[in-house]
Amino acid sequence: MNAAKSGYRVFSANSTAACTELAKTITERLGVELGKSAVYQETNGETRVEIKESVRGQDIFIIQTIPRDVNTAVMELLIMAYALKTSCARNIIGVIPYFPYSKQSKMRKRGSIVCKLLASMLAKAGLTHIITMDLHQKEIQGFFSFPVDNLRASPFLLQYIQEEIPDYRNAVIVAKSPDAAKRAQSYAERLRLGLAVIHGEAQCTEQDMDDGRHSPPTVKNATVHSGLELPLMMAKEKPPITVVGDVGGRIAIIVDDIIDDVESFVAAAEILKERGAYKIFVMATHGILSADAPRLIEESAVDEVVVTNTVPHEVQKLQCPKIKTVDISLILSEAIRRIHNGESMAYLFRNITVDD
């Protein structure tokens, strides 16, 4: 179908071929052609975007998957959105399956909430709507001044468990930390399985660092107001690592939203193996798999890592055959169709609760 006749166009803002695969799959499902554009880096490192066809009065969907070079991808998206805005596009909708900087959504000491800054930049560039998937914190939606549709990948991952793990009825869903317990509980309730939580991890969790009220720093010989005695906050002390729940003789399925640095997943797998789990799966929406992640997974007790194609990871799959991919282009293409046609998005969120 000619996209112009349908009233909308779909563009890819990526300059690398590996990152355009998801955009091609989505356009094939929609039965439209990918918009004609050129996105490339100048010799001096600057990003240049050229729109090769008229977009006046059209609904434009920009699909931007985030590769390892996050900052370049962000600039590509911003420049393309602004180019479409100045070309008189009617609406500019960003399809960003993995939203970058989502882990920097809380104040930490003298840092900044970068995720909020990025939201403001996208609005200034001309975006009017965003489709994303499994935001690291749902509260991120409040950073935007325009609508955000935060889709869920869990139906696809649940389907994978039911169809690809033959003895999944003998499985237990595992949260690798108390922070991930709500997500794990959601999976366990939907699959009618048991739940286990690993408690007492050695590394610092995100909540240990998220409060920005640690300044000013302690100063030697600081004067204290006479008569002012504030209660002393007791230092945290992590308990010995324990697994709350029975995993002996069971399949352990660790669930999370992002798998990036895999050390914590590898450590969790070792603990579960010691507690008697005979097979270990790791399931996450966004498979960033940075640095030596493929090698660490290959050498670990993890039997399989299942992620969606929100982030390109073909190179990592070549390095580690344990990594499997679930395609989520179906829900993204349906979201595009419904938004353009002005249809309700409720169907895509059926049976989704606040904790999912």
Side-chain angles (χ1 to χ4, degrees), residues 226-269:
S226 58
L228 181 64
E229 276 190 43
L230 296 175
L232 181 66
M233 175 64 77
M234 295 179 64
K236 286 185 178 181
E237 183 177 339
K238 286 198 174 288
I241 295 177
T242 57
V243 179
V244 181
D246 182 21
V247 297
R250 313 283 286 277
I251 299 171
I253 304 175
I254 306 171
V255 297
D256 212 335
D257 62 331
I258 299 172
I259 176 167
D260 188 358
D261 297 323
V262 299
E263 284 87 353
S264 59
F265 291 93
V266 170

Side-chain angles (χ1 to χ4, degrees), residues 60-64 77-78 81 91-100 115-116 118-135 140-141 143-151 332 335-336 339 345 349:
I60 305 299
F61 294 85
I62 308 173
I63 300 173
Q64 180 69 324
L77 177 59
L78 290 169
N91 292 305
I92 304 170
I93 300 96
V95 183
I96 314 170
Y98 169 65
F99 194 81
C115 193
K116 184 176 181 181
L118 180 55
S120 300
M121 292 166 67
L122 291 172
K124 191 69 175 177
L127 287 182
T128 58
H129 195 142
I130 277 183
I131 302 170
T132 187
M133 182 164 281
D134 283 333
L135 285 169
I140 290 173
Q141 295 175 79
F143 294 161
F144 294 87
S145 57
F146 49 75
V148 176
D149 284 309
N150 182 27
L151 303 175
L332 293 174
I336 290 172
I339 288 173
M345 296 285 283
F349 292 95

Side-chain angles (χ1 to χ4, degrees), residues 8 45 59 71 97 109 150 236 271 279 290 296 318 328:
Y8 70 95
D59 288 337
N71 295 328
K109 295 190 178 179
N150 182 27
K236 286 185 178 181
I271 295 163
K279 204 165 187 180
S290 299
L296 293 173
L318 293 174
I328 45 79

Side-chain angles (χ1 to χ4, degrees), residues 157-163 165-175 181-197 244-247 249-255 278-279 281 283:
L157 296 174
L158 289 167
Q159 184 181 37
Y160 184 93
I161 292 172
Q162 292 173 312
E163 295 179 356
I165 303 179
D167 196 20
Y168 83 92
R169 290 292 181 190
N170 187 38
V172 59
I173 304 299
V174 180
K182 279 189 176 182
R183 182 182 299 272
Q185 182 180 356
S186 174
Y187 276 70
E189 290 175 352
R190 281 170 164 74
L191 293 168
R192 277 65 171 172
L193 298 177
L195 176 67
V197 180
V244 181
D246 182 21
V247 297
R250 313 283 286 277
I251 299 171
I253 304 175
I254 306 171
V255 297
Y278 71 90
K279 204 165 187 180
F281 290 79
M283 311 201 78

Side-chain angles (χ1 to χ4, degrees), residues 74-85:
V74 169
M75 285 305 300
E76 290 170 346
L77 177 59
L78 290 169
I79 294 171
M80 176 168 277
Y82 191 66
L84 292 164
K85 178 183 177 182

